[in-house]
Amino acid sequence: MGKATEIGVRRTTVQVGGETISCLTAGRDGPAVLLLHGTYWSRVWLPVLDGLAHAGLRPIAVDFPGLGRSGGELTLETAAVPALAEWVARFAATLKIAEPIAVAGHDIGGAVAQHLLAKGPLGISRLALVNSVTYDSWPAPHVARLLERTATPDEFLLARRQAVTTDLAGAATGQLIDEYLEPWADPRSRRSWLAMAGAAESRHTLDLVPALRRSTTPKTLIWGEDDAFERVEYAEKFASEIPRTTLIRVPGASHIPTENAPGPIARALAGFFANPQP
């Protein structure tokens, strides 16, 4: 991550519930924007952090317990979306982030963000979803297959290598793929990932739809159009049914569009979160 250091992105840690939690951040002042990952880790947000900071925001991309660079370990109970939402509230309180908070979510992190908006326990001022799970779009079949039997570490890493190669689309290089895979060399991280995958249930997003349909909070969706699982059709449905939602498509990008079009996505997120209008 040499380039990230040069442009001012830094990794910090904080103690939450007795565990060392890691996050990427940029900028020191300005309104906080909390960035939540799903079945990857905070690395998905790295390409856009500097752009958000240059817009006067303070982005904070946190690693959930047991994932990325964070300590701890997720279980089936603590990896469920409602439990992760409760954990995010504790994390925000630890950092003394004033509510309401601007939140963006990718993949299952988007389900957590939707839960926070629809049910709390954290006040949300603006919501952005990037190739997020919605409705009944999850769990993905390739994720479910890893749970059908006990995979060896080599089998697990091979499956994740195949997934990240597809999800990075045209941005995939050997070095970048290795960066994404690196945390899963730790057995604790692999167990946490399997817990998150095992806890994945579409009811956690389907149950939120009535409250989301009543929501007047501004929302934006940013979507890699070539995502084969979190398909753009789900984003179109969300934008058509959920009030105050806009959809931004990213052609030529798959599940991790921040790597394919970091500049345009950073500008879109910055414009959305830095806009003072209600």
Side-chain angles (χ1 to χ4, degrees), residues 3-65:
K3 184 178 179 183
T5 301
E6 292 171 8
I7 61 175
V9 176
R10 60 195 181 279
R11 186 167 285 281
T12 63
T13 60
V14 63
Q15 293 293 310
V16 181
E19 301 291 352
T20 300
I21 298 302
S22 180
C23 54
L24 286 171
T25 187
R28 298 186 183 276
D29 300 310
V33 178
L34 192 54
L35 307 171
L36 307 178
H37 68 82
T39 52
Y40 287 103
W41 54 298
S42 59
R43 182 63 180 78
V44 298
W45 298 108
L46 177 60
V48 301
L49 295 182
D50 192 60
L52 293 176
H54 282 337
L57 299 165
R58 181 165 59 98
I60 303 166
V62 64
D63 285 326
F64 284 127

Side-chain angles (χ1 to χ4, degrees), residues 31-33 97-103 117 122-126 217:
V33 178
I97 302 174
E99 299 183 45
I101 300 175
V103 176
L117 177 60
L122 197 64
I124 304 300
S125 60
R126 286 178 172 253
T217 299

Side-chain angles (χ1 to χ4, degrees), residues 97-142:
I97 302 174
E99 299 183 45
I101 300 175
V103 176
H106 175 255
D107 191 83
I108 292 176
V112 178
Q114 291 170 65
H115 190 284
L116 289 169
L117 177 60
K119 294 191 175 183
L122 197 64
I124 304 300
S125 60
R126 286 178 172 253
L127 173 69
L129 300 177
V130 179
N131 285 77
S132 168
V133 299
T134 56
Y135 299 102
D136 61 351
S137 71
W138 62 309
H142 69 283

Side-chain angles (χ1 to χ4, degrees), residues 146 149-162:
L146 268 180
R149 63 185 181 84
T150 303
T152 67
D154 286 346
E155 290 170 335
F156 178 95
L157 290 172
L158 177 60
R160 296 313 296 151
R161 179 175 291 274
Q162 293 169 338

Side-chain angles (χ1 to χ4, degrees), residues 167-193:
D167 291 345
L168 288 169
T173 64
Q175 179 180 346
L176 187 57
I177 292 166
D178 287 344
E179 283 187 24
Y180 270 85
L181 292 175
E182 189 273 334
W184 289 316
D186 185 341
R188 179 179 52 85
S189 184
R190 294 197 296 272
R191 291 193 299 268
S192 294
W193 187 94

